[in-house]
Amino acid sequence: MPRLVQITPDNVESACRVSVRPDQEKFSSPVAWSLAEAYAQPDVAWPRLIVEGDDIVGFLMGFFDIVWNPDSPDDRRSGLWRLNIAAEHQGRGYGRFAVRAVCAEARERGHDRVFTTWEPGADGPERFYLKLGFRPTGETSGGEVVGVRHLTD
């Protein structure tokens, strides 16, 4: 059964070695880049490794309570910022596990919806996110589609 673990000095190098398939690299950022962003924004970033047994199978980074639009400081959002499932571990449900884990954390923090963004394109992750209940909001962020998933019981 997969579980989430925090990034520590003992596992940070292994975390940085998590890499997606070459054809997916244009749709995701390297883990090292995500960790740099987490370091720069520790109040909102929630980086975690996805571990199965002794193997690191992926990386996720949630975000919580960010000001989405600087012109509307009350528009605070939470959700999935990054998701990298190691190429050799894809297709085993770890991505679904990661999304559910972020949703559970958001629900625990009192949120009733989560957001994510994805790069549009035929080979992109849109089908994955739509299957997991995300729906486009009609917004874009940095050229990416913004999706929302409502957390209902």
Side-chain angles (χ1 to χ4, degrees):
M1 173 115 159
R3 66 189 191 286
L4 297 181
V5 300
Q6 291 186 353
I7 312 295
T8 67
D10 294 331
N11 64 23
V12 69
E13 286 183 41
S14 296
C16 289
R17 285 194 289 272
V18 172
S19 60
V20 297
R21 295 188 328 243
D23 63 306
Q24 297 169 329
E25 289 173 354
K26 64 184 174 193
F27 300 112
S28 68
S29 296
V31 172
W33 180 263
S34 297
L35 291 176
E37 289 181 310
Y39 178 82
Q41 300 178 71
D43 294 342
V44 298
W46 192 69
R48 296 292 187 269
L49 288 175
I50 305 163
V51 175
E52 176 85 44
D54 292 330
D55 296 327
I56 295 172
V57 299
F59 169 84
L60 71 81
M61 189 160 72
F63 63 91
F64 295 100
D65 296 313
I66 66 162
V67 174
W68 188 260
N69 179 351
D71 296 331
S72 301
D74 292 336
D75 184 8
R76 291 181 145 332
R77 298 186 185 184
S78 297
L80 180 64
W81 192 349
R82 295 281 162 64
L83 179 59
N84 301 61
I85 302 300
E88 66 274 19
H89 294 288
Q90 291 186 12
R92 299 180 189 167
Y94 298 123
R96 285 188 306 277
F97 169 81
V99 169
R100 289 184 185 129
V102 170
C103 289
E105 182 69 20
R107 190 177 290 117
E108 207 167 288
R109 293 177 184 226
H111 300 284
D112 61 359
R113 60 191 180 153
V114 293
F115 292 84
T116 196
T117 62
W118 61 82
E119 192 74 37
D123 297 329
E126 182 173 65
R127 281 187 19 209
F128 168 78
Y129 288 118
L130 293 177
K131 267 201 278 190
L132 291 175
F134 286 93
R135 296 293 171 253
T137 64
E139 303 166 283
T140 59
S141 176
E144 294 187 348
V145 174
V146 176
V148 64
R149 177 180 171 182
H150 293 274
L151 305 176
T152 55
D153 294 332

